[in-house]
């Protein structure tokens, strides 16, 4: 494994879930693995959970960490080929990424979509440029169209809390005042489909996820009907894929309430955070939810991803042979 | 001890002063104490001394550190209960704090007052929300109304430099172009009253500190008379508590000058820094002062606070028993 | 050696080049040297390579690092003597630097020129204030008029890639949309003159570098003639020293092209990065250049500078004798 940008980078998902639990039980067991290794975290957008959970995960493995806030600490980047760079961008990604890769053993990168041009966002330009130009492993810290670290933590949380072998999991759209990316629902659908769950998606018409993501997953347009028999309710807002980046509804009819939770099979509520209380879900729903342990699992899954990348790559090119793993 | 937000969190102040001196003499003696431990520093406001002294203190104890600049690196926070979060705040403190606490063993937080609403500021909303929602120890890195790490360093500096058992210490208001919090003078009064000093406060009328802080401490409105017999002059500006947050005077008559210092008992000049030269005090006064060793003591007192918290708490909930202190 | 601000701080340049290569071959051989030591990096301006290479270098030596972005994380600084500080500056460098020096064993500082007042920029006010007020070693991370860490990495890169004992090296001005400092070309000329190369400089009239820098280095105003017989082409834009800070030309005639490179003795192209592609040099020139290994050498030269400072100074004043090197 040379990268972590999707569930497809995981060779054996059930085994990874077991190994994440083992790390959680014994966080410092692999502290020598990261010795002399440095994780670089490159943020084009803000972050709390991802920033802190990745740092902690690296420290638990004995790594050091460098954080770079692009455009704030550093230079503006150019992404296009062949540009005459006489505008605001000061450095081309073709230099910035190989240079950073010489100072880091693993690089994580976060870059949100513009939500203006669907084709451009789904081409994953930033992430792919990092993959293309980096000789060291790349971790997606949330890209334009996916958030695999979140999807992995979500699946671990469901695995830990399920009461039956194949629980019924409902992904429900919920209202929000701003146009949000599809990255989290996309990742959630991908990871649930790869895991052992019975997935249903519910949202207002017009909010259909990309066909290559949703596949044959059942979609139910009546939220309350979708909730029947659910073991987990996973709420998330996203903007429209069809009318790309648009807000088609802000209806509070889709807010997750205690009354709606009562329609389920005693389902546990989940959300990736940050959550807008009394907009996405009522206080009562959030207060009795899995959101805090779900966020804790961001740490253990991040730590496993780092561990796998440290184990399976000789990483930094200049490391002398004796020091390579 | 599960927190450090006030002098009242210190069970035995004379002993703590001795232990801080011992750390200063032997900074790396407890380096294994912080192994596998991470300090999170959350800044809602800028910082130089606090930021760097806390980091250094953590490193001296073998800890790792994560710094989060809220609103810059991360999301805007909501503080009120029951709000419908459809405005600018993206995450509620009820999620943000427990989540951060899962990634950190100790959390430090800095948040300045708004200086508009006295009742709100003195209710210490931000700090108390952190205390309420964090399972791990909280350190105040300066709150709306107090700065205990500064008060502790001030007391240590006086203890190290005093020529008599109970020195006369004068806290003097001094002019400043901006409205400043009362956090530093409040902390100074609290720590001096808990220590072995003879404290006097001097300021123009209208600048009386909160009654619950000042207690029975003598207040003298004539600055020069207050300076007579002083062993230490501690200067600081603050805005009015009575006419809350107002600047009632910018008179250079209150600037600390060499002529005024000559009225004292050879007093040493102190200030918490940053200091505006030739506004708070003249160059000659600052150049012959304790401000630099006083700032150094920010490190040793911070290190002792971290050491105490590491020793007395099992901290991170997920740590396996064998690794807990 | 108590500082690193110029090639003149290097007592034996050929030996330093050899030691840098030894570090590159064995990066972690001196990891105990930085134990209990902390590097402070103070940025008044953005940085990618310097920020990350210095951090990595410190980690390779076992040091910890604190980064401070002045004016963003911290307070505005005052630089002048005797000022009445009632404006925007909140802290004088006379306090800020000695205070930081109490928390750090070595301090690096980056501060760009204003490009308005030549005398002020060439007086190196910021760097000199740090040198004047710091008891711990200062490293220039690029000052108003020089960038010695870049010059050192450039010389190492030439030393590693040269095909003859004394290669012909051409520093060529190239166009750019903004007015840039002379720091990099100044440093390049200084380090080349101290090394074993045959240096030529080419630029449009009006772009002459400071006489105290250029000395007797040959200047050729026709770029193509200067390229004849060159073994290395080092491109860089700078604003005018004579008409200080002005852009006198943005002519694409000075862009480095493959046709111009064909006039050389098979020269390798170099640039300090960030480089504006198709403005400074064409894609074809940059794609077949030394810019990436040149940036890698920023790490090894930085690490050697840190190693030398750690070896030759007892650094932090409060360290107990047994812990000093």
């Amino acid at each position: 494994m040379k990268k972590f940008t999707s569930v497809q980078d995981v060779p054996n998902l059930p085994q990874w879930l077991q190994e994440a639990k083992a790390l959680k039980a014994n966080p410092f067991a692999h502290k020598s693995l990261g010795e002399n290794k440095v994780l670089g975290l490159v943020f084009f957008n803000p972050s709390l959970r991802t920033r802190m959970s990745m740092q902690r995960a690296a420290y638990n493995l004995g790594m050091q960490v460098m954080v770079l806030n692009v455009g704030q600490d550093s230079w503006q980047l150019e992404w296009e080929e062949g540009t005459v760079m006489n505008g605001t961008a000061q450095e081309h990604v073709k230099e910035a990424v190989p240079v950073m890769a010489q100072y880091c053993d693993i690089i994580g990168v976060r870059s949100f979509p513009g939500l203006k041009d669907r084709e451009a966002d789904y081409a994953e330009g930033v992430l792919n440029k990092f993959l293309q130009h980096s000789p060291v492993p790349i971790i997606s810290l949330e890209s334009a169209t996916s958030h695999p670290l979140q999807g992995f933590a979500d699946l671990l949380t469901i695995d830990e809390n399920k009461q039956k072998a194949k629980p019924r999991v409902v992904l429900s759209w919920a209202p929000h005042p701003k146009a949000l990316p599809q990255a989290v629902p996309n990742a959630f659908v991908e990871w649930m489909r790869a895991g052992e769950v019975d997935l249903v998606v519910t949202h207002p018409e017009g909010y259909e996820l990309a066909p290559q993501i949703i596949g044959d997953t059942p979609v139910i347009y009546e939220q309350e009907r979708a909730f029947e028999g659910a073991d987990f309710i996973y709420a998330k807002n996203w903007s429209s894929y069809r009318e790309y980046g648009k807000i088609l509804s802000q209806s509070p009819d889709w807010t997750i309430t205690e009354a709606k939770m009562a329609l389920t099979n005693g389902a546990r509520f989940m959300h990736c955070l940050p959550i807008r209380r009394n907009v996405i879900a009522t206080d009562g729903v959030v207060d009795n939810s899995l959101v805090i342990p779900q966020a804790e699992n961001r740490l253990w899954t991040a730590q496993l991803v780092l561990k796998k990348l440290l184990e399976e790559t000789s990483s930094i090119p200049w490391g002398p042979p004796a020091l390579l793993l």
Side-chain angles (χ1 to χ4, degrees), chain A:
Chain A
M1 193 183 65
K2 296 292 185 196
K3 66 181 173 78
F4 181 80
T5 63
S6 150
V7 69
Q8 289 165 32
D9 294 317
V10 179
N12 186 333
L13 190 48
Q15 186 190 318
W16 277 44
L17 289 169
Q18 291 315 306
E19 290 189 47
K21 291 178 199 173
L23 277 183
K24 190 171 183 169
N26 207 355
F28 310 114
H30 307 275
K31 197 139 182 199
S32 62
L33 195 59
E35 200 185 337
N36 295 333
K37 303 292 181 184
V38 176
L39 171 65
L41 297 177
V42 182
F43 288 99
F44 291 86
N45 300 97
S47 169
L48 185 151
R49 265 153 293 278
T50 300
R51 182 185 292 263
M52 295 184 89
S53 62
M54 286 299 306
Q55 281 191 67
R56 177 76 205 213
Y59 292 151
N60 284 357
L61 291 164
M63 300 182 83
Q64 286 284 17
V65 181
M66 302 195 280
V67 178
L68 192 78
N69 299 304
V70 180
Q72 175 179 308
D73 295 344
S74 174
W75 314 99
Q76 297 289 332
L77 294 188
E78 172 64 45
W79 301 92
E80 300 302 320
E81 297 282 330
T83 321
V84 178
M85 289 174 58
N86 54 9
T88 55
Q90 293 151 303
E91 175 141 40
H92 202 285
V93 67
K94 291 171 84 164
E95 276 73 58
V97 172
V99 166
M100 287 191 279
Q102 293 181 127
Y103 308 145
C104 301
D105 297 86
I106 298 173
I107 293 176
V109 58
R110 160 166 288 198
S111 178
F112 290 171
L115 293 181
K116 304 286 181 200
D117 178 339
R118 186 169 86 180
E119 199 176 345
D121 286 346
Y122 275 75
E124 288 286 7
V126 172
L127 180 61
N128 282 325
K129 289 288 183 186
F130 269 75
L131 288 167
Q132 181 184 344
H133 295 294
S134 173
V136 304
I138 296 293
I139 297 174
S140 165
L141 307 176
E142 184 172 343
S143 69
T145 70
S146 197
H147 193 351
L149 287 165
Q150 184 66 50
F152 187 13
D154 295 338
L155 187 60
L156 176 61
T157 307
I158 287 171
D159 193 63
E160 289 177 327
N161 289 278
K162 68 185 179 187
Q163 305 289 326
K164 59 176 74 139
K166 194 169 183 179
R168 184 170 177 86
V169 174
V170 178
L171 167 63
S172 177
W173 183 93
H176 193 281
K178 293 195 176 169
L180 296 189
Q182 292 122 30
V184 169
N186 284 352
F188 188 75
V189 169
E190 288 179 306
W191 286 78
M192 291 305 115
R193 294 182 73 193
E196 283 297 305
V197 312
D198 176 18
L199 179 66
V200 171
V201 179
T202 182
H203 54 69
E205 283 199 59
Y207 278 103
E208 290 75 14
L209 292 168
Q212 67 274 26
I213 300 289
I214 198 77
D216 59 2
T217 307
V219 175
I220 299 177
Y221 291 105
E222 304 82 44
Q223 190 188 38
E224 298 198 357
R225 187 159 71 79
F227 276 36
E228 289 169 18
D231 297 302
F232 294 89
I233 299 294
Y234 191 98
K236 184 73 186 80
N237 174 269
W238 61 89
S239 60
S240 175
Y241 175 80
R242 192 191 286 171
E243 298 181 48
Y244 192 65
K246 290 259 170 65
I247 296 176
L248 306 181
S249 165
Q250 294 188 328
S251 170
D253 291 351
W254 280 81
T255 298
I256 317 296
T257 62
E258 287 157 289
K260 289 178 191 171
M261 292 300 288
L263 303 172
T264 67
N265 180 33
R268 307 299 307 270
F269 178 81
M270 297 175 68
H271 189 277
C272 62
L273 304 183
I275 187 168
R276 287 173 178 259
R277 284 170 166 256
N278 304 310
V279 178
I280 296 284
T282 59
D283 279 329
V285 171
V286 180
D287 288 339
N288 294 287
S289 74
L290 288 173
V291 298
I292 304 300
Q294 183 183 354
E296 184 193 331
N297 281 337
R298 291 293 309 277
L299 168 52
W300 309 117
T301 47
Q303 190 169 333
L304 183 66
V305 168
L306 286 177
K307 177 172 177 281
K308 291 290 182 185
L309 291 172
L310 287 170
E311 282 169 346
E312 295 179 32
T313 177
S314 61
S315 87
I316 204 153
W318 42 262
L323 291 157
L324 297 181
L325 297 164

